[in-house]
Amino acid sequence: ISQNLKMLVLTDPGERVMDPEYGVGARTYLFSNFGSSVYVDIETNIRQQTAKYMPMVTIEQVMFDKRPQTIDQNVLAMRIVYKVPAINITEMLEFTI
């Protein structure tokens, strides 16, 4: 589940064959002017895509590393806390793009 969620976040829309709507496209945000609206857009997109393509997963929290040195280097670091209610497990996925 963790790997599938990571691939969902990293895949750009249109990249997956036969399903052009699949993917959050997190890399497309790398060179954006990072403000609160960009983080809200990313989080909203993650929640919508997860609800559509991974309905067995509930996103609990999405956190971003907002330190100036991270933003200045055009790096997007995030943590996604998710739950799988069917098996009562809560996990955290952490990665940097």
Side-chain angles (χ1 to χ4, degrees):
I1 291 174
S2 180
Q3 186 65 25
N4 287 343
L5 181 58
K6 185 176 181 179
M7 289 302 106
L8 180 66
V9 172
L10 294 177
T11 301
D12 291 332
E15 185 176 356
R16 187 168 186 179
V17 177
M18 303 298 288
D19 195 351
E21 295 179 1
Y22 178 90
V24 173
R27 285 186 214 102
T28 61
Y29 294 99
L30 282 179
F31 297 100
S32 298
N33 289 326
F34 283 100
S36 61
S37 65
V38 173
Y39 294 117
V40 170
D41 288 347
I42 297 169
E43 182 175 352
T44 301
N45 204 354
I46 289 170
R47 290 181 184 278
Q48 289 172 346
Q49 289 285 313
T50 303
K52 182 175 182 178
Y53 292 103
M54 298 182 70
M56 75 295 266
V57 174
T58 303
I59 301 295
E60 298 287 320
Q61 188 176 17
V62 179
M63 298 166 282
F64 299 96
D65 184 354
K66 298 178 183 177
R67 293 178 294 171
Q69 62 268 27
T70 304
I71 295 170
D72 291 342
Q73 294 176 1
N74 293 319
V75 173
L76 180 61
M78 67 177 76
R79 291 184 181 134
I80 302 172
V81 178
Y82 64 93
K83 186 174 185 174
V84 184
I87 54 176
N88 199 26
I89 291 179
T90 302
E91 292 285 331
M92 181 175 68
L93 175 64
E94 181 176 13
F95 57 94
T96 303
I97 306 169

